[in-house]
Amino acid sequence: MKLIKPDLYYVGVNDHQLDLFEGQYIVPNGMAYNSYVIKDELIVVFDSVEKNFKDEWLANLKEVLGDEQPTYLIVQHMEPDHSGNIVEFIKTYPNAFVVGTAQAFKMMSQFYKEEIKRKIVVTEGDSLNLGKHILKFIMAPMVHWPEVVVTYDETGNTLFSADAFGKFGALDHEEDWACEARRYYFGIVGKYGAQVQNILKKVQNFEIKTICPLHGPMLTENLNYYLNLYDTWSSYQSETDGVAIFYTSVYGHTKEAAELLAKTLEDKGCPKIICCDLAREDMAEAVEDAFRYPRVVFATTTYNMSIFPFMRTFLDHLLEHNFQNKTVGLIENGTWAPNAAKVMKEILSKGKNINLIEPEVRLLSALSEENKKQIELLADKLMEPSEFLAKEKEKKKPIKKHHFACKICGFVVEIEGEELPKDFVCPICKHPASDFEKID
Ligand code: FEO
């Protein structure tokens, strides 16, 4: 149990037993299932945790609540890593109301076959008054399931963001946020960029001081860093300048071509190069890198007149997750009927803004002198300025600042954004934000 800020407590758990999160993602540093309590005149609990952690979660709740009774359990997301103990909660606190969207209650009956007698159905813009804290509900369908709602505490300026801003990794393991948040985002939410953009727009004018996701750490400082990364990821902009090369290789010849391309790019001063063997790298790590870099090269062998299975799986993952806005080079290998580039092009034709560049490199069994020249030319093409990066730089221009003047004493303040925070007070005459006017 941990006090995050006045009235707000963490009551979640760490899972170090899990082998695969959601049945497919390795979590070498475990996973956190977050749950929160706001103690006000009325007490609210945000989401339960995975079913195996019933005892630990109920003990955490007891430690915060003592003999007090919660009034509400807010169910923001019904995936079982969060909903696994709703029934246990109701048995423990039978007078509490369960709060969720209509679709969440439908899923509750499907998963848990339990009739929820005390329930409150919420939708966009509904609010819940706890006494001092006022909670506002914002529908967030497909971030990451259709029933999702996120919650803004207007009093504490806290956004309870459901799966958004989550990451892999338990909270008792210190690590960089972005690496495992990016792998989590592109694996789990990445397909739903438009829906994430929608929720970012809905909250853009809220004053957010804390983000409480359902996985990963509570975010309390430098929130623009996290919000900007989510904006980049969900709008399918590339994040880091460089080239990501993904290959499969049966006898090492395609690998040799991929590594020669990496070395050539390095010699030409490419700022960052990833060279990834898809048969041995974690697939989710490869997926996040493909979205991260603006230029991507796929190198694979012809296999049963198609492509090697790891490359097939990889490309399927990318296209399923709306892979787009990339400059792409291709390397194929084939001993008697090379066909891999054709198959890769057919798959990639389903992506948006995929700019295929020449030359395609065709190995006939092993690397030839002609292939080495083609790789040199491909490296030159990959080093040309990317139009996607140029657009990105344009989008990353600093946020416009505005000046506001106090109508009482004339004090002028400069801030980012169109409005002063509601709780702003003039440092000179102590008048509130409503006594200020925008002067540019
Ligand atoms: Fe953390 Fe979509 O469940």
Side-chain angles (χ1 to χ4, degrees):
M1 185 270 284
K2 178 183 157 198
L3 180 68
I4 302 168
K5 60 204 265 187
D7 307 331
L8 176 61
Y9 298 82
Y10 180 78
V11 290
V13 298
N14 289 317
D15 184 350
H16 285 287
Q17 265 70 57
L18 189 67
D19 61 342
L20 292 175
F21 180 69
E22 292 191 0
Q24 61 172 316
Y25 300 102
I26 56 165
V27 280
N29 301 318
M31 199 67 200
Y33 312 121
N34 295 344
S35 172
Y36 305 94
V37 170
I38 294 178
K39 281 181 90 173
D40 197 344
E41 287 170 30
L42 302 178
I43 295 172
V44 66
V45 179
F46 284 89
D47 294 285
S48 80
V49 298
E50 208 270 346
K51 67 176 181 343
N52 293 331
F53 294 85
K54 175 191 83 171
D55 292 340
E56 186 179 341
W57 179 60
L58 290 176
N60 288 350
L61 276 176
K62 181 76 181 162
E63 192 184 346
V64 170
L65 301 181
D67 292 330
E68 294 183 88
Q69 297 291 305
T71 307
Y72 305 112
L73 170 68
I74 295 179
V75 176
Q76 299 187 112
H77 183 18
M78 269 303 296
E79 202 163 3
D81 50 335
H82 311 294
S83 66
N85 278 300
I86 293 173
V87 175
E88 291 303 325
F89 179 89
I90 296 167
K91 285 182 188 158
T92 310
Y93 300 107
N95 293 324
F97 289 90
V98 178
V99 180
T101 61
Q103 203 150 13
F105 284 106
K106 184 166 179 285
M107 290 180 182
M108 253 174 257
S109 66
Q110 289 173 195
F111 272 114
Y112 303 113
K113 320 290 182 210
E114 183 89 12
E115 193 197 344
I116 310 289
K117 295 197 178 82
R118 294 169 72 80
K119 67 177 178 185
I120 298 174
V121 179
V122 290
T123 188
E124 182 78 20
D126 285 352
S127 54
L128 208 53
N129 189 337
L130 305 179
K132 198 166 61 174
H133 293 261
I134 299 186
L135 306 180
K136 189 169 177 181
F137 296 102
I138 303 129
M139 301 290 269
M142 301 319 295
V143 185
H144 130 240
W145 277 15
E147 84 297 0
V148 172
V149 65
V150 301
T151 314
Y152 178 61
D153 172 9
E154 293 181 335
T155 314
N157 302 113
T158 303
L159 179 68
F160 297 89
S161 61
D163 273 346
F165 302 99
K167 68 181 274 297
F168 297 122
L171 296 189
D172 53 5
H173 179 87
E174 287 270 324
E175 64 185 352
D176 172 61
W177 183 85
C179 183
E180 283 296 69
R182 190 187 297 105
R183 189 168 71 93
Y184 173 92
Y185 175 84
F186 282 110
I188 292 172
V189 194
K191 180 179 173 62
Y192 304 109
Q195 289 83 351
V196 175
Q197 281 283 303
N198 194 29
I199 193 75
L200 289 177
K201 283 196 185 82
K202 285 188 191 181
V203 303
Q204 70 182 350
N205 290 324
F206 294 180
E207 191 194 359
I208 300 171
K209 292 183 179 162
T210 308
I211 298 177
C212 290
L214 288 176
H215 303 287
M218 289 102 257
L219 307 174
T220 55
E221 289 175 347
N222 197 15
L223 296 189
N224 274 345
Y225 167 74
Y226 305 101
L227 290 162
N228 286 339
L229 273 181
Y230 253 64
D231 184 39
T232 299
W233 298 343
S234 58
S235 56
Y236 301 100
Q237 302 166 61
S238 299
E239 180 188 337
T240 307
D241 194 6
V243 178
I245 304 163
F246 302 97
Y247 70 86
T248 65
S249 194
V250 184
Y251 293 106
H253 299 105
T254 315
K255 176 180 181 179
E256 194 184 349
E259 290 182 343
L260 177 62
L261 177 61
K263 175 77 175 62
T264 310
L265 286 165
E266 190 185 331
D267 292 345
K268 289 177 187 293
C270 184
K272 180 80 184 172
I273 303 146
I274 300 289
C275 193
C276 168
D277 178 351
L278 291 172
R280 290 170 179 83
E281 177 63 273
D282 167 42
M283 193 57 81
E285 189 76 30
V287 167
E288 71 156 281
D289 278 337
F291 280 94
R292 181 173 184 174
Y293 296 97
R295 306 167 186 107
V296 180
V297 176
F298 302 108
T300 194
T301 41
T302 304
Y303 192 83
N304 292 337
M305 280 313 283
S306 181
I307 52 177
F308 203 66
F310 290 105
M311 181 60 82
R312 161 75 66 181
T313 304
F314 182 55
L315 291 178
D316 284 348
H317 276 299
L318 295 185
L319 272 296
E320 266 175 23
H321 289 78
N322 276 333
F323 188 63
Q324 56 186 273
N325 299 341
K326 301 291 173 186
T327 295
V328 172
L330 299 176
I331 299 174
E332 70 171 352
N333 196 348
T335 293
W336 62 94
N339 197 41
K342 178 169 171 275
V343 174
M344 287 193 285
K345 277 193 272 192
E346 279 167 10
I347 298 172
L348 289 164
S349 68
K350 296 176 195 122
K352 213 162 84 181
N353 286 339
I354 303 292
N355 174 30
L356 287 166
I357 54 168
E358 300 283 345
E360 266 171 42
V361 181
R362 170 178 284 185
L363 276 71
L364 294 171
S365 308
L367 200 62
S368 66
E369 288 308 311
E370 177 62 19
N371 291 149
K372 288 178 188 171
K373 286 183 201 151
Q374 291 171 330
I375 284 172
E376 180 79 25
L377 288 173
L378 180 59
D380 284 338
K381 265 288 172 56
L382 289 164
M383 290 295 289
E384 284 177 5
S386 154
E387 70 175 279
F388 299 118
L389 274 182
K391 279 186 199 160
E392 210 173 293
K393 276 188 188 144
E394 185 63 25
K395 283 183 184 165
K396 280 187 182 162
K397 278 185 180 165
I399 300 165
K400 190 156 170 33
K401 293 188 173 173
H402 291 288
H403 292 87
F404 296 81
C406 177
K407 290 186 269 187
I408 310 300
C409 70
F411 173 77
V412 174
V413 61
E414 180 190 70
I415 63 145
E416 289 178 353
E418 298 294 325
E419 282 178 22
L420 277 180
K422 284 191 198 105
D423 60 356
F424 185 83
V425 174
C426 178
I428 308 298
C429 67
K430 309 297 178 203
H431 277 75
S434 56
D435 284 328
F436 277 71
E437 62 186 349
K438 196 159 119 191
I439 54 173
D440 61 9

